[in-house]
Amino acid sequence: MFDFWTIFLAVVVGILYIWWKNTTRDAVLPPGPPTVPFLGNLLSVNPETVLDTFQEYRRKYGEVFSLITGSKTLVVISGYDTLREIFIKHGDVTSERPDIFITREVGKFKGVATSSGALWKEHRTFSLNTLREFGFGKRSLETRIIEEIEVFVQEIQSKKGEPFNIHSLINVCISNIMCSITFGKRYDHDDKKFLSLLNSINQNLSNENVMFVATVLPFIRYIPGDPFRIKKVLRNVDKVENHLRQLVEEHEQIYDENNLRDYVDVFLKKMKSERNNPNTTFDEDQLLKIVGELFVAGTETTSTAIRWFCLFMIRHPEVQEKMRNEINDVIGTSRFPSLEDKQNLPYCEAVIHETLRIGTIAPLSVPHGLASDLKFNGFTIPKDALLIPNLYSVFFDEKIFPDPYDFKPERFLDEKGNLKNTDKVLAFSLGRRVCLGEALARMELFLFVTSLIQRFTLEAGDIKNIPSEKGTMGITYAPKDFVLKAVPT
Ligand code: HEM
């Protein structure tokens, strides 16, 4: 008979062996930095410097390298061609979402962004079709955006050229557009409850390393207290969802099948039509998750892009001047720019592409999962790995964009002044998971930034404190808060 201590020792040795094995790189995996016993590559990546570290690993280990964390194997995909090969050519295998903190605890594997397989396909198609119905890429939506721009411009005018932080103004305007598509509702700029919701979203998406840490060390959420602020993230998610639940309930009370006003109404109609289908995926939980995603993904990303734009304009007044000259030549000042003007404003378009490139916004996209093992260049990427699309590697690839760290919109113009090379800016990612809101984001970016430059000259709020091009890394890569002056032209 074995005594207690023998069994205890055997269990401890067994656990240590499994842990040691989990932190060692298997020969079939893509290469990567050397592992440390029991830690793997945990010490090789600091969330704050992760982008530069990945650039270095790309040089050392190639376009596909792996990182071992004990709980998950991360496989980082870099380079334009390799990203296309993995996420487009092998898109049937690489378009899932992995089982990680954000998909399990935040998304509950529902919605569009955090679901996979048949559920994801059905709801991505439904959402895209419904959003198109409500104006993605259409004139009706343009009118809604311009209405919001009018408020935006009035608010800026009210500052009378004095320094202010434009962050919350942009956030409210952009989320109002998303709210009007999903709930048919917009909020006042001083609505405290709404501002607090936007603040919770901002905390979760930017300026936080928490998502990264929770992904590679999932057990930390069970540590007493909240040293990594995981519980705070989940509280923020609940707060946003409770607000959305209220809005959906209000909608249900005045629902009229003959007058579908917005995304929620169309979803409710589908829910009602599938009431007797025991296998339906159109239920209230799914509606809340999708609406939440649209609200979150549709606000912070576009708003961050516009903040980057303002920052680059402060740092590059000559670019601002050229944009304004182009706008004045084509449109003048008597009306707001419209989408029809886009083709006649190639320099403005080049500035937007350069902002999306160098601002990066979502430099590591959103992690992908795999439907099965994938053989690639003699290595095997296992089914349970976490694929990271390293979009940053393309943005700063000097073979594609010479002098990649310089802000040079001209790189997107040929000798005749026509746009070129813009397809290399993978800001919205690529393949089957490509951003669902790309069309809306592009409309918003064009209309907001051209209207802004048409009416104001942007300057640093404090001449001794020019805002830095170095941002902070969360799920989005965002500029640090800054103040600016918007002087009427
Ligand atoms: C400048 C603005 C934006 C940027 C840079 C951006 C970027 C991205 C990126 C990189 C992804 C991940 C794709 C992948 O998994 O590989 C994504 C997904 C997504 N985006 Fe955006 N996005 C922007 C605006 C928007 C807007 C306005 C909406 C709202 C309609 C939106 C909704 C979504 C959704 C729902 C997904 C998940 C798609 C899926 O998993 O199938 N995004 N976006």
Side-chain angles (χ1 to χ4, degrees):
M1 282 296 275
F2 298 112
D3 66 11
F4 169 78
W5 288 110
T6 315
I7 295 171
F8 178 75
L9 204 68
V11 171
V12 170
V13 170
I15 292 174
L16 285 176
Y17 175 73
I18 293 170
W19 191 245
W20 172 80
K21 199 126 178 47
N22 280 348
T23 51
T24 311
R25 181 173 288 99
D26 209 312
V28 298
L29 285 174
T35 54
V36 174
F38 302 109
L39 288 175
N41 293 125
L42 275 180
L43 302 179
S44 316
V45 185
N46 169 352
E48 279 171 22
T49 50
V50 62
L51 299 175
D52 293 335
T53 309
F54 282 4
Q55 291 289 70
E56 184 195 325
Y57 290 165
R58 177 191 182 191
R59 279 192 292 277
K60 274 193 189 155
Y61 307 107
E63 308 279 80
V64 180
F65 62 83
S66 65
L67 295 165
I68 314 297
T69 69
S71 59
K72 279 277 171 206
T73 297
L74 275 56
V75 178
V76 182
I77 315 295
S78 308
Y80 184 74
D81 292 335
T82 311
L83 279 161
R84 285 183 63 83
E85 202 168 342
I86 294 282
F87 294 108
I88 296 179
K89 190 170 157 209
H90 297 293
D92 52 336
V93 178
T94 59
S95 302
E96 303 292 299
R97 288 289 182 221
D99 180 352
I100 53 173
F101 174 75
I102 193 167
T103 50
R104 175 178 285 275
E105 306 293 339
V106 178
K108 314 271 186 234
F109 302 121
K110 291 197 165 209
V112 173
T114 50
S115 63
S116 291
L119 180 69
W120 165 67
K121 271 192 199 133
E122 185 177 21
H123 283 270
R124 183 169 163 113
T125 309
F126 175 83
S127 293
L128 263 177
N129 289 344
T130 308
L131 292 170
R132 276 196 200 114
E133 216 173 291
F134 283 100
F136 268 30
K138 286 192 196 155
R139 265 204 97 74
S140 53
L141 182 55
E142 181 176 5
T143 313
R144 290 192 206 196
I145 299 176
I146 291 180
E147 275 164 18
E148 207 55 51
I149 289 176
E150 280 166 1
V151 180
F152 180 62
V153 164
Q154 277 165 19
E155 288 284 328
I156 298 179
Q157 269 160 351
S158 74
K159 309 289 179 203
K160 298 193 169 28
E162 290 300 315
F164 72 107
N165 183 341
I166 200 164
H167 188 162
S168 119
L169 175 60
I170 299 174
N171 252 6
V172 178
C173 288
I174 295 297
S175 68
N176 261 341
I177 294 165
M178 210 56 241
C179 285
S180 104
I181 299 168
T182 42
F183 310 110
K185 188 177 167 80
R186 67 175 298 282
Y187 291 85
D188 284 338
H189 282 238
D190 51 5
D191 186 316
K192 291 219 164 41
K193 202 168 164 197
F194 187 55
L195 289 176
S196 153
L197 281 181
L198 293 181
N199 188 39
S200 304
I201 295 172
N202 178 254
Q203 278 179 2
N204 277 10
L205 287 192
S206 57
N207 311 334
E208 300 274 343
N209 301 321
V210 63
M211 295 292 186
F212 185 83
V213 179
T215 299
V216 293
L217 301 172
F219 55 83
I220 59 166
R221 69 167 296 216
Y222 301 108
I223 296 177
D226 197 14
F228 294 94
R229 291 198 271 170
I230 303 265
K231 292 182 186 113
K232 172 84 179 145
V233 167
L234 294 173
R235 274 202 304 278
N236 282 342
V237 172
D238 280 350
K239 183 172 155 185
V240 175
E241 261 185 34
N242 285 338
H243 182 79
L244 298 176
R245 186 170 292 112
Q246 236 176 349
L247 289 178
V248 168
E249 279 164 11
E250 281 168 26
H251 249 77
E252 273 175 324
Q253 281 159 18
I254 45 167
Y255 169 79
D256 173 2
E257 172 167 312
N258 300 315
N259 178 22
L260 301 179
R261 298 152 299 174
D262 45 44
Y263 182 90
V264 173
D265 272 355
V266 179
F267 198 102
L268 289 174
K269 183 178 180 201
K270 182 82 175 161
M271 255 169 79
K272 288 175 200 299
S273 73
E274 299 224 343
R275 215 175 353 222
N276 298 324
N277 173 2
N279 300 321
T280 184
T281 58
F282 287 84
D283 55 29
E284 200 164 295
D285 272 0
Q286 179 67 357
L287 170 58
L288 277 176
K289 284 290 172 208
I290 296 184
V291 166
E293 282 173 0
L294 294 177
F295 186 54
V296 173
T299 297
E300 195 52 39
T301 43
T302 313
S303 150
T304 301
I306 299 178
R307 281 196 293 138
W308 273 123
F309 170 82
C310 294
L311 187 146
F312 294 132
M313 291 308 100
I314 292 171
R315 293 181 64 92
H316 301 279
E318 73 292 351
V319 172
Q320 216 184 127
E321 199 52 42
K322 271 179 120 171
M323 270 184 90
R324 192 169 302 110
N325 288 343
E326 186 177 64
I327 295 167
N328 280 342
D329 287 351
V330 174
I331 303 168
T333 51
S334 58
R335 64 167 174 90
F336 280 115
S338 87
L339 290 176
E340 271 175 18
D341 299 316
K342 215 174 180 182
Q343 59 193 4
N344 299 320
L345 297 172
Y347 186 77
C348 292
E349 274 287 273
V351 176
I352 293 170
H353 280 101
E354 187 65 340
T355 300
L356 288 172
R357 182 188 75 82
I358 212 163
T360 73
I361 330 284
L364 300 177
S365 186
V366 177
H368 284 220
L370 295 102
S372 60
D373 287 358
L374 177 66
K375 298 238 183 289
F376 186 77
N377 281 357
F379 299 108
T380 301
I381 304 177
K383 181 176 188 279
D384 61 356
L386 202 141
L387 285 175
I388 299 189
N390 184 5
L391 307 178
Y392 186 86
S393 67
V394 182
F395 298 144
F396 292 93
D397 188 330
E398 53 195 0
K399 291 199 192 94
I400 303 177
F401 304 114
D403 304 321
Y405 295 94
D406 294 350
F407 188 86
K408 279 205 292 200
E410 287 76 11
R411 69 174 81 245
F412 292 110
L413 296 171
D414 66 17
E415 57 288 349
K416 291 195 180 126
N418 297 321
L419 286 167
K420 65 168 190 187
N421 231 8
T422 52
D423 57 327
K424 303 287 187 318
V425 183
L426 299 178
F428 299 93
S429 194
L430 73 172
R432 299 176 192 194
R433 284 271 177 181
V434 67
C435 173
L436 187 124
E438 177 174 353
L440 171 63
R442 288 195 187 279
M443 283 171 90
E444 290 174 327
L445 278 176
F446 175 79
L447 295 171
F448 268 82
V449 306
T450 50
S451 304
L452 186 61
I453 292 304
Q454 182 188 41
R455 286 172 159 67
F456 302 98
T457 304
L458 303 185
E459 294 170 9
D462 172 4
I463 200 74
K464 290 197 209 87
N465 203 0
I466 305 287
S468 161
E469 281 182 5
K470 204 108 200 107
T472 39
M473 182 67 187
I475 286 190
T476 51
Y477 184 70
K480 297 188 182 94
D481 265 344
F482 58 93
V483 285
L484 57 72
K485 282 192 216 162
V487 182
T489 51

